[in-house]
Amino acid sequence: MKRIIAGYLQDDSDERQFRFSLTCVECGTVWKSTPIRFSKAGVPSPTEAKQVVFRALYQREREWARALAVEEAVHEFNRCPLCGRLVCNRCFLICDDLDMCRTCAEDLHERGDPVA
């Protein structure tokens, strides 16, 4: 599931902070990860060599922040076992026999309660 979520994450980061988002394909709600400030945000890089160091550090911190965002998103999204879409907890239903997204539940006349 983590790999699937990682593939759908949108990178909304800038030079000051790292932030990622996912959009529920069912309802269109946009979930945003907790922002993480870049450790060198606002710190001037006086030399070209220091700029190289800061860029490498930025990439390393960005990957770390992305991994944390995936960990957060795992608790907010589910993949429907029928249609394969990634939907938020409000659009994923706990049904009697098989949990599924709202659209699949409606198509199959199944009832269920949202995860959230």
Side-chain angles (χ1 to χ4, degrees):
M1 183 65 173
K2 289 179 184 179
R3 249 186 287 163
I4 292 166
I5 286 177
Y8 283 95
L9 271 183
Q10 176 74 33
D11 188 348
D12 302 325
S13 303
D14 59 30
E15 66 278 350
R16 297 181 119 354
Q17 73 177 6
F18 307 104
R19 188 164 217 181
F20 300 87
S21 63
L22 273 175
T23 302
C24 175
V25 295
E26 183 77 17
C27 69
T29 298
V30 177
W31 169 86
K32 293 182 182 258
S33 67
T34 302
I36 298 174
R37 185 171 167 80
F38 174 44
S39 65
K40 299 299 180 186
V43 176
S45 52
T47 65
E48 192 172 314
K50 196 55 112 172
Q51 288 176 5
V52 170
V53 171
F54 281 14
R55 279 194 297 271
L57 183 59
Y58 181 89
Q59 289 305 319
R60 182 169 57 181
E61 289 184 23
R62 183 178 156 276
E63 288 306 313
W64 174 74
R66 183 179 176 82
L68 290 178
V70 168
E71 292 297 327
E72 277 186 71
V74 164
H75 301 288
E76 302 295 327
F77 283 81
N78 289 282
R79 186 172 185 213
C80 179
L82 299 176
C83 67
R85 298 181 314 150
L86 199 59
V87 298
C88 71
N89 285 341
R90 289 185 305 277
C91 295
F92 192 75
L93 304 180
I94 305 299
C95 301
D96 288 336
D97 297 313
L98 181 67
D99 304 338
M100 63 190 78
C101 73
R102 283 188 190 279
T103 298
C104 288
E106 287 172 11
D107 290 348
L108 298 171
H109 307 289
E110 290 287 325
R111 293 182 186 215
D113 295 315
V115 171

